Amino acid sequence: MAGPCLAARGVDKRFGGVHALKGVDFDLERAEVHALVGENGAGKSTLIKILSGLVAPDAGTIEIDGQAARIDSVKVAQALGIQTIHQELELALPLSVAENVFMGRLPVRRGRIDVAALHRQTADALAKIGARIDPRMRVRDLSIADRQVVEIARTVVREARIVIMDEPTAALPPREVERLFQVIRALKAASVAVVYVSHKLDEVLAIADRVTVLRDGVRVASLARSEASRPALVRHILGRELMEFHVDKQAPRAGAAIACRGLTSEPELAGLSFDSYRGEVLGFYGLLGAGQSAIGDVLVGVRGGAAESIRINEIPGLPADPHDAVRRGIGYVPADRKVAGLALLLSVKENLLLTDLAAVTRCGVIDQRRARSLAEALVQRFRIRCGSIEQKARQLSGGNQQKVALAKWIGRKVDVLVLDEPTRGVDVGAKVEIYRVLRELAQAGSACLIASSDAGEIAAVCDRAIVMKGGRPAAELSGAALTADALTAAAI
């Protein structure tokens, strides 16, 4: 019987004072989907970076088809047949599908690009994974799901034998997830092995042949599909049982924090009217492109918009810019934490204090003792995994970065908090922690607004939800009627 196509043994890695991987073993069989799960900071990203050639291990060995391999660069990994599809897709948006698929290896005839061959070969690569996309289309005109398919087609062209997928469904609406699964099954049928990294346990159980769990840099379990269940995975991931999150839906308190009529921002929003009350968590749910992701940007002045009438904390009109929004007591956690939510080159401490430097400043000078005390309290409250509060934010895992992006507003105690996809890329335990913090914020009298494409999330944490469709409200649900199934039905 043939051995694994990839075997990592005793892989160890430190980043300063953080011991990211502690002698981890991981192997991958041919034509297998092997899921890798764990809390944020458990070591998943470090392991796949090592396998992808982005990071060198401090100790341990890696074998490809039984032969020792030193993967010290992305180029070496690709030469060995390893392709990685990162959560942030690496595509040239202005170029065509075909140009992206064959980037770096365009077919040439008589010194010129053979356009006919390029389109034909791209169509063949797409057909192998069951995709129907016009090779001539510009990538910028594709949906997120189709862009992901283009990345996968690129791995086919490069004759990948191992494909690593990092949170592949993070930006996909539910109806596109099954389509991705069909593509993964097509890869399996072609004897390609897949490493599937995800926090979405239901998806892991649906697609994986085997599941490996990391916790605190240690492999704590490796289960066959027949042995895996959601409770078992949660128990291994957290090291304890997870208490299910339950909300008693609250009727809104008197007084609207936001009273909005006819909010417009082309092309995403087309006349949105709503009221957001203090003490309430209000959700905006919709499929990809329904308009909910533009609401936060408009409310905090990141993008232009107009309203027939709007009052936020009794002040008329939309904020002119984010500084104006902060002055009005509005906080914002955007979907793209790396670009808009954090200052990645600053420390964890500096990011946590950015929204309220006045609280730690005396006579124009930062009180370092108070700054450390406040930052450490927020790190402890949100269970942010970091070597120290002086660690750079860019060195944290994605989920811990998300916790920092949220915690900095909790420290300021804003009157209105707007969040766009607040738990994207966050593990199952951290999600519950974030939900609890949002509920506590509402109970303290703030208004929370959540825009999300995750129906389960909206149903779990919100008192009331508005379903978006084509930039307009399609339905409003509250109380016992607010369920994931009802949200999905209204959206489609």
Side-chain angles (χ1 to χ4, degrees), residues 416-438:
V416 176
L417 183 62
V418 186
L419 308 99
D420 188 6
E421 302 290 353
T423 62
R424 179 179 289 170
V426 173
D427 65 69
V428 61
K431 279 187 178 183
V432 171
E433 293 167 13
I434 289 173
Y435 294 163
R436 290 192 194 285
V437 170
L438 294 179

Side-chain angles (χ1 to χ4, degrees), residues 119-364:
H119 291 162
R120 182 177 64 254
Q121 292 172 24
T122 302
D124 290 343
L126 291 166
K128 285 181 181 178
I129 54 176
R132 296 181 179 179
I133 301 173
D134 187 342
R136 297 166 296 184
M137 286 190 68
R138 300 290 169 188
V139 169
R140 67 185 172 208
D141 297 326
L142 299 179
S143 67
I144 296 296
D146 282 342
R147 292 180 190 180
Q148 199 162 52
V149 170
V150 171
E151 281 260 29
I152 295 171
R154 183 189 287 173
T155 71
V156 172
V157 166
R158 294 178 178 177
E159 299 179 340
R161 296 182 300 116
I162 297 168
V163 176
I164 300 172
M165 296 184 175
D166 185 12
E167 296 288 350
T169 64
L172 295 185
R175 61 183 176 183
E176 296 289 0
V177 173
E178 180 53 37
R179 183 176 166 211
L180 174 65
F181 286 178
Q182 291 172 1
V183 172
I184 292 174
R185 294 183 188 110
L187 291 175
K188 278 186 60 178
S191 296
V192 175
V194 176
V195 180
Y196 190 93
V197 184
S198 180
H199 290 299
K200 298 182 178 180
L201 300 186
D202 292 340
E203 293 177 8
V204 166
L205 293 170
I207 195 65
D209 301 303
R210 199 156 40 122
V211 185
T212 286
V213 183
L214 298 183
R215 186 171 73 241
D216 295 328
V218 176
R219 188 184 78 165
V220 294
S222 190
L223 307 173
R225 174 64 188 88
S226 59
E227 303 172 310
S229 65
R230 183 179 176 85
L233 291 178
V234 169
R235 190 165 54 251
H236 285 304
I237 289 169
L238 300 180
R240 56 180 169 80
E241 299 291 341
L242 176 68
M243 297 297 292
E244 291 297 326
F245 187 77
H246 174 73
V247 170
D248 292 323
K249 309 295 184 185
Q250 302 293 317
R253 300 181 186 180
I258 302 177
C260 176
R261 299 294 177 267
L263 184 64
T264 302
S265 180
E266 295 184 354
E268 285 85 356
L269 296 175
L272 171 64
S273 298
F274 69 93
D275 293 314
S276 174
Y277 296 93
R278 296 177 178 86
E280 175 190 52
V281 181
L282 173 64
F284 292 92
Y285 170 74
L287 303 179
L288 199 67
Q292 75 276 6
S293 63
I295 296 170
D297 282 355
V298 176
L299 290 179
V300 300
V302 170
R303 63 181 293 164
E308 295 171 11
S309 67
I310 185 168
R311 295 183 71 86
I312 304 176
N313 284 337
E314 302 303 327
I315 301 174
L318 288 165
D321 53 42
H323 293 290
D324 187 20
V326 173
R327 285 193 293 269
R328 296 194 193 191
I330 308 170
Y332 184 35
V333 182
D336 192 339
R337 55 182 172 254
K338 292 183 182 295
V339 173
L342 294 171
L344 293 177
L345 296 180
L346 297 184
S347 69
V348 171
K349 178 184 73 177
E350 290 166 327
N351 272 277
L352 289 171
L353 300 175
L354 272 178
T355 60
D356 196 15
L357 283 173
V360 294
T361 302
R362 297 290 182 271
C363 301

